[in-house]
Amino acid sequence: MNRYADIPRERLPALLAAMPKAELHIHIEGSLEPQLIFALAARNGVKLAYPNVEALRAAYAFTDLQSFLDIYYAGASVLLLEDDFHDMAWAYLVRAAEENVLHTELFFDPQTHTARGVDIGVVIRGLKRATERARAELGVSAALILCFLRHLSEEDALQTLEQALPYREHFIGVGLDSSERGHPPEKFARVFARCRELGLRLVAHAGEEGPPEYIWNALDVLKVERIDHGVRCVEDPALVRRLAEQRVPLTVCPLSNVKLCVFADLGRHNLGELLAAGLVATVNSDDPAYFGGYLNQNYLETFAALPLDAGHAYVLARNSFEASFASAADKAGWIARLDETFERFRS
Ligand code: HPA
Ligand code: ZN
């Protein structure tokens, strides 16, 4: 694979934790830990359907994407004020810094909040304050990607975009998330075309639970630059060739895939297959408070379960920087730090 493949396996856990990396698929509302949900509920006088943290955690037994989304939207109901959004994102960014995440692109779901009467400016200003603080105090680079909820109408997405435009300089792109099956990418053709005209970067969840056709249409109709998840691409060899040739990144989320029953266990995850096919795969946490771990835990457990070595770790970390929407200069600086770390572990 590369000059790092023969770094001894016993050094892998330390290497995976220490290596500089980027996280490109994290829903910030999915980083809301049960303790913070209860603290914010108390602070804001919101009544929850669960009596305590333990009862809430016990409900985190998911059978598919929808069973997770129902609880995830309930958890987000405690977020009302600008400080709530700041505190949630800040907690994630502190953790990211501890895990040697140098750059992160955070998804947020404004419709989850505007539907409850929260102004979109409250959401964006709170998140933005946390990302600016992260750069200043933690040295972590962080950008925001506004996601449209695909179970809602395209009209609703268009209205959300209009509401967000006064804050255009605060987010770098748009994505598409929530219930995938029955809500194909082409449902959002007009709103993505408009976002493209506005110069926003484009991504979409596709091929998590939905078929390969949704990945084709995310590329050809929405014209996205990255596919979130995308693991079902392997069912279509022509699609795999297309993704490899055009170097379309996939933001893969191993622990999420197991928790939502996309794969029966990590030992059956297809990350190794994706890399062997030459795809620009990356590792991400998706909704770390709900799926059993933050980014380093995703790397550690996946490498423990699959026949992956330090050569693969290097490729995944490098892909995470190359697949990001950061500047070429930033990417080069981060990759130089990545190389230094791997050279240190080699000697
Ligand atoms: N898929 C779709 N929508 C989501 C997810 C996911 O994994 N996490 C949060 N919203
Ligand atoms: Zn996701």
Side-chain angles (χ1 to χ4, degrees):
M1 144 112 6
N2 56 44
R3 63 201 254 107
Y4 305 119
D6 55 4
I7 293 176
R9 207 172 161 78
E10 62 268 20
R11 303 188 77 177
L12 257 180
L15 174 59
L16 291 169
M19 68 182 188
K21 53 185 77 75
E23 177 150 61
L24 306 178
H25 185 161
I26 154 87
H27 301 265
I28 199 60
E29 294 90 347
S31 75
L32 203 46
E33 291 288 343
Q35 291 84 346
L36 189 51
I37 290 178
F38 276 87
L40 293 176
R43 198 158 97 181
N44 290 333
V46 174
K47 183 110 181 69
L48 291 166
Y50 301 89
N52 53 45
V53 164
E54 292 69 36
L56 177 59
R57 264 201 201 285
Y60 291 2
F62 313 117
T63 51
D64 60 7
L65 175 58
Q66 193 59 50
S67 66
F68 154 69
L69 290 170
D70 294 341
I71 287 190
Y72 162 81
Y73 295 131
S77 70
V78 299
L79 298 160
L80 293 180
L81 306 177
E82 199 178 303
D83 277 350
D84 304 341
F85 291 92
H86 164 275
D87 293 355
M88 168 175 68
W90 179 248
Y92 164 74
L93 290 161
V94 167
R95 181 67 182 256
E98 288 166 5
E99 299 202 353
N100 296 304
V101 172
L102 305 186
H103 174 72
T104 178
E105 295 175 8
L106 306 176
F107 293 149
F108 69 106
D109 288 340
Q111 288 155 297
T112 300
H113 314 300
T114 54
R116 298 180 288 111
V118 177
D119 186 85
I120 199 166
V122 165
V123 179
I124 297 178
R125 282 194 302 269
L127 297 175
K128 188 68 193 173
R129 185 147 52 82
T131 63
E132 284 171 350
R133 197 177 157 203
R135 169 160 317 266
E137 295 180 30
L138 305 170
V140 172
S141 155
L144 298 173
I145 295 180
L146 182 161
C147 284
F148 301 115
L149 298 180
R150 67 202 302 158
H151 68 274
L152 300 178
S153 68
E154 186 180 46
E155 197 46 52
D156 205 303
L158 283 161
Q159 276 172 19
T160 302
L161 177 63
E162 289 307 317
Q163 291 166 4
L165 283 184
Y167 308 94
R168 167 66 187 86
E169 74 280 16
H170 290 338
F171 56 100
I172 60 167
V174 299
L176 187 63
D177 65 1
S178 189
S179 323
E180 187 180 8
R181 283 201 199 103
H183 302 285
E186 57 272 24
K187 178 177 165 187
F188 296 92
R190 288 181 309 154
V191 69
F192 270 68
R194 171 104 175 88
C195 290
R196 197 154 173 259
E197 284 167 9
L198 289 165
L200 288 157
R201 310 304 297 255
L202 309 179
V203 300
H205 284 53
E208 177 186 20
E209 286 189 342
E213 187 193 353
Y214 285 22
I215 302 176
W216 283 109
N217 287 344
L219 296 172
D220 292 333
V221 180
L222 302 188
K223 308 211 181 295
V224 302
E225 301 165 80
R226 289 197 302 246
I227 297 287
D228 296 312
H229 294 294
V231 290
R232 286 194 60 192
C233 71
V234 296
E235 295 167 29
D236 183 342
L239 176 58
V240 171
R241 281 196 298 278
R242 159 97 184 264
L243 293 167
E245 277 166 21
Q246 297 187 350
R247 289 191 62 75
V248 178
L250 303 184
T251 61
V252 177
C253 307
L255 288 176
S256 163
N257 290 156
V258 172
K259 279 289 191 295
L260 300 187
C261 307
V262 174
F263 295 96
D265 56 64
L266 272 182
R268 281 180 240 207
H269 198 283
N270 67 6
L271 180 64
E273 204 183 324
L274 299 173
L275 290 172
L279 298 182
V280 185
T282 63
V283 169
N284 304 272
S285 69
D286 207 4
D287 300 282
Y290 292 90
F291 296 153
Y294 286 76
L295 187 52
N296 284 355
Q297 194 69 19
N298 271 270
Y299 274 107
L300 283 167
E301 291 194 31
T302 305
F303 275 70
L306 293 173
L308 299 174
D309 59 37
H312 298 100
Y314 178 80
V315 169
L316 287 165
R318 190 177 170 120
N319 286 349
S320 75
F321 293 124
E322 285 177 349
S324 78
F325 293 137
S327 69
D330 279 344
K331 291 182 189 187
W334 296 327
I335 290 169
R337 288 174 64 180
L338 177 67
D339 289 350
E340 275 167 36
T341 304
F342 273 75
E343 290 300 328
R344 188 153 46 78
F345 272 82
R346 232 180 127 235
S347 54

